[in-house]
Amino acid sequence: DGGITQSPKYLFRKEGQNVTLSCEQNLNHDAMYWYRQDPGQGLRLIYYSQIVNDFQKGDIAEGYSVSREKKESFPLTVTSAQKNPTAFYLCASSPSTSGVFIGELFFGEGSRLTVL
Amino acid sequence: DAKTTQPNSMESNEEEPVHLPCNHSTISGTDYIHWYRQLPSQGPEYVIHGLTSNVNNRMASLAIAEDRKSSTLILHRATLRDAAVYYCILTLNRDDKIIFGKGTRLHILP
């Protein structure tokens, strides 16, 4: 079945460690997005990518990094520079972007990161 | 900035219609209006979208004001499974960000 897969679902990290969250889609979508969600809050955009080998910062990119080497994959690294990394992280994709109707956003099930 | 304004929470009785409002006064002529909903500990799921005309699908209806500065998501007969956070978002052609606000937390009373 087509969809978005995020892994791991739960992750624990010690302070000072980098951690990478995986996001893979087999929907052949051009655009992919990373959001962060804190308890009782909405989604905040971290990074997004419209095309392979290109990505842009969202509203809260500091302390995060991404890559888009393949169309299907958009991993997010939470670096030690992120001061409050404990959160629920959501990856999404959409068929198209930039000036045309983007289509429906498809979300993964999320990755819950806890810093100990 | 979220670009949309929604009430923080709403309450409705089971099996009654629910009207969820959204204000988007800075919408431009080519921005689409999307609605998503999020159940606890899950990613949001698509509900409906529209541009200018009212839209219906199996999940809900979307009523868009004539000036497009506001819209209303209509759940015709709420069930307990409709209890969720509902997000109204715009896909902005002025840039490629898709910004979610805090949404409306819908409580359904049995």
Side-chain angles (χ1 to χ4, degrees):
Chain A
D1 285 350
I4 296 186
T5 303
Q6 288 187 241
S7 63
K9 194 166 184 178
Y10 298 95
L11 185 62
F12 297 89
R13 184 194 98 174
K14 292 182 181 178
E15 277 194 39
Q17 287 182 335
N18 292 356
V19 63
T20 298
L21 307 179
S22 169
C23 179
E24 303 278 333
Q25 53 101 357
N26 60 4
L27 300 166
N28 199 32
H29 285 173
D30 289 320
M32 296 187 74
Y33 313 83
W34 273 106
Y35 291 91
R36 168 182 172 142
Q37 187 172 38
D38 294 286
Q41 302 297 312
L43 283 67
R44 292 186 290 169
L45 183 64
I46 305 173
Y47 270 98
Y48 61 104
S49 168
Q50 302 165 11
I51 197 169
V52 175
N53 292 324
D54 188 40
F55 48 83
Q56 287 79 40
K57 292 182 179 180
D59 296 324
I60 56 164
E62 185 175 350
Y64 299 97
S65 65
V66 293
S67 63
R68 187 87 187 273
E69 297 176 1
K70 298 186 298 181
K71 189 176 186 177
E72 312 82 60
S73 179
F74 192 41
L76 174 74
T77 297
V78 184
T79 74
S80 56
Q82 170 50 235
K83 298 306 177 189
N84 296 297
T86 295
F88 188 48
Y89 291 88
L90 287 159
C91 180
S93 71
S94 68
S96 61
T97 184
S98 187
V100 297
F101 174 57
I102 66 161
E104 180 181 336
L105 276 172
F106 289 78
F107 282 86
E109 293 190 350
S111 293
R112 192 169 298 279
L113 172 64
T114 302
V115 174
L116 303 172
Chain B
D1 291 341
K3 313 293 184 188
T4 62
T5 305
Q6 298 177 254
N8 288 335
S9 67
M10 290 183 64
E11 215 171 68
S12 179
N13 293 319
E14 197 177 9
E15 298 187 2
E16 289 187 357
V18 182
H19 291 233
L20 296 162
C22 181
N23 288 320
H24 28 79
S25 58
T26 59
I27 192 170
S28 76
T30 52
D31 293 337
Y32 282 82
I33 302 157
H34 291 239
W35 283 82
Y36 287 79
R37 73 179 187 181
Q38 185 178 23
L39 300 171
S41 297
Q42 295 186 22
E45 65 172 344
Y46 168 83
V47 177
I48 201 166
H49 76 273
L51 183 62
T52 56
S53 303
N54 294 344
V55 184
N56 300 295
N57 67 20
R58 63 175 179 81
M59 289 181 73
S61 295
L62 176 60
I64 301 173
E66 198 169 333
D67 64 3
R68 297 201 342 116
K69 294 183 185 298
S70 66
S71 61
T72 302
L73 179 72
I74 302 165
L75 306 179
H76 294 286
R77 196 161 169 263
T79 70
L80 295 177
R81 287 175 295 180
D82 291 321
V85 178
Y86 286 78
Y87 297 99
C88 166
I89 68 169
L90 304 180
T91 53
L92 308 174
N93 286 330
R94 287 161 284 171
D95 60 45
D96 299 303
K97 294 182 181 181
I98 300 175
I99 306 296
F100 283 74
K102 294 184 180 180
T104 296
R105 184 171 297 276
L106 177 64
H107 302 273
I108 304 296
L109 305 175

